[in-house]
Amino acid sequence: MAKWTPQHEAPEPLEGPVVATITGGTILWFVLFLVQIPFYGWFEERDLLWWVWTCLAGAGLGLIGIWYVRKRDAALKRAAPSPPPQPDSPTP
């Protein structure tokens, strides 16, 4: 079988509001954890406690993710070339 090779270049990575996305996901995981806490006994009776702990793990990993993407965003801003200074007034 012949090895597959791409016929075109890969697109540039999509940059968006990464910090906001990770923060929103972390909040969602934590809210899901809080919603499940009152039903802890129900989950325990049906041997489904992993649902509760998965939500807590998602929130914890999300906190690590927020720290990571904030550091990454700051590093990208530091590494970005600064635009050339613009003159205050045009000279004739």
Side-chain angles (χ1 to χ4, degrees):
M1 179 177 264
K3 184 178 179 182
W4 181 81
T5 57
Q7 301 298 319
H8 51 80
E9 281 189 37
E12 289 292 319
L14 179 63
E15 290 292 334
V18 181
V19 176
T21 303
I22 301 299
T23 302
T26 302
I27 291 170
L28 181 63
W29 278 115
F30 190 67
V31 167
L32 288 171
F33 171 72
L34 292 178
V35 166
Q36 291 177 354
I37 290 297
F39 303 102
Y40 189 87
W42 185 89
F43 284 106
E44 190 173 29
E45 290 171 3
R46 288 157 181 80
D47 199 27
L48 296 173
L49 278 179
W50 64 270
W51 283 28
V52 178
W53 301 120
T54 299
C55 292
L56 185 60
L61 290 172
L63 291 174
I64 295 169
I66 292 169
W67 172 79
Y68 180 81
V69 296
R70 288 186 68 198
K71 297 281 273 185
R72 178 185 176 269
D73 196 34
L76 288 174
K77 286 179 183 174
R78 280 192 313 267
S82 58
Q86 298 291 328
D88 292 338
S89 61
T91 55

